Amino acid sequence: MGVLRSALLLGAGAAVGYIASRRASTPSADVAIRSSQSLMVAGNSQVAKFFDSPIGKQLQPYALKAVEFASRVREGMSEKEAELHARVERARQDVRPGSLDTWDKPMSANQQERLERDAAERELRELELEIALEERRAGVAQVIDTPAPKPSGTDHP
């Protein structure tokens, strides 16, 4: 009996959660919480017929908790969505280079000069590194090409 009761609880919770999530955004929802004691549903719906049954009466408090939980989750999601919209709006109003919606706007003359100067400095550093690398390679090649000194000993003629 425990497994059957658990399965029925799970099924009823899923049904109420599904209905609550589908109807939570409309004011004329089939499911409405009137008090902490009862769950009011439209009289002709399948959910109303289920909650009128003896098993449904026992499951009604759990269904109420599930509906309350679904409404709290929806409120939290709406709150987070509002925070995200506010953050995106603040980023849109930001005028720093690289902020949202400013990459396609033309740069000022000062910004253009700074960008060109940074690019020139970067290119100069790259050239200096290339020259230093070539000098090092030439030094290594010279050491390799230099013949080894002959041993000065009496053993070898």
Side-chain angles (χ1 to χ4, degrees):
M1 186 67 179
V3 175
L4 180 61
R5 183 175 180 193
S6 296
L8 287 173
L9 281 173
L10 184 63
V16 171
Y18 174 78
I19 291 170
S21 66
R22 288 293 199 186
R23 306 287 188 193
S25 61
T26 61
S28 62
D30 286 341
V31 179
I33 301 172
R34 296 283 177 158
S35 69
S36 62
Q37 296 294 321
S38 65
L39 180 67
M40 303 303 289
V41 292
N44 297 343
S45 70
Q46 291 292 329
V47 176
K49 291 176 185 175
F50 173 75
F51 284 117
D52 286 340
S53 71
I55 295 175
K57 293 283 185 194
Q58 293 176 354
L59 298 178
Q60 200 169 18
Y62 303 110
L64 179 63
K65 288 181 183 179
V67 170
E68 288 173 351
F69 175 75
S71 67
R72 275 188 266 132
V73 168
R74 182 173 287 280
E75 286 175 19
M77 290 174 62
S78 298
E79 191 175 302
K80 289 293 183 186
E81 186 178 2
E83 288 175 11
L84 180 63
H85 284 298
R87 192 179 321 159
V88 168
E89 193 57 38
R90 280 193 307 269
R92 278 193 183 136
Q93 294 171 358
D94 193 3
V95 292
R96 293 177 297 164
S99 64
L100 293 176
D101 296 338
T102 59
W103 62 272
D104 58 346
K105 295 180 182 175
M107 287 191 270
S108 68
N110 196 15
Q111 289 174 331
Q112 186 69 28
E113 287 176 19
R114 188 174 12 161
L115 184 65
E116 289 173 359
R117 184 176 52 242
D118 290 346
E121 287 175 1
R122 201 174 313 118
E123 189 175 335
L124 180 62
R125 273 188 254 128
E126 288 175 3
L127 282 173
E128 288 174 347
L129 285 173
E130 275 187 45
I131 290 170
L133 185 61
E134 286 298 320
E135 288 175 351
R136 179 171 255 175
R137 284 182 187 158
V140 168
Q142 185 179 13
V143 169
I144 292 174
D145 290 340
T146 306
K150 292 184 179 180
S152 61
T154 56
D155 295 353
H156 295 73

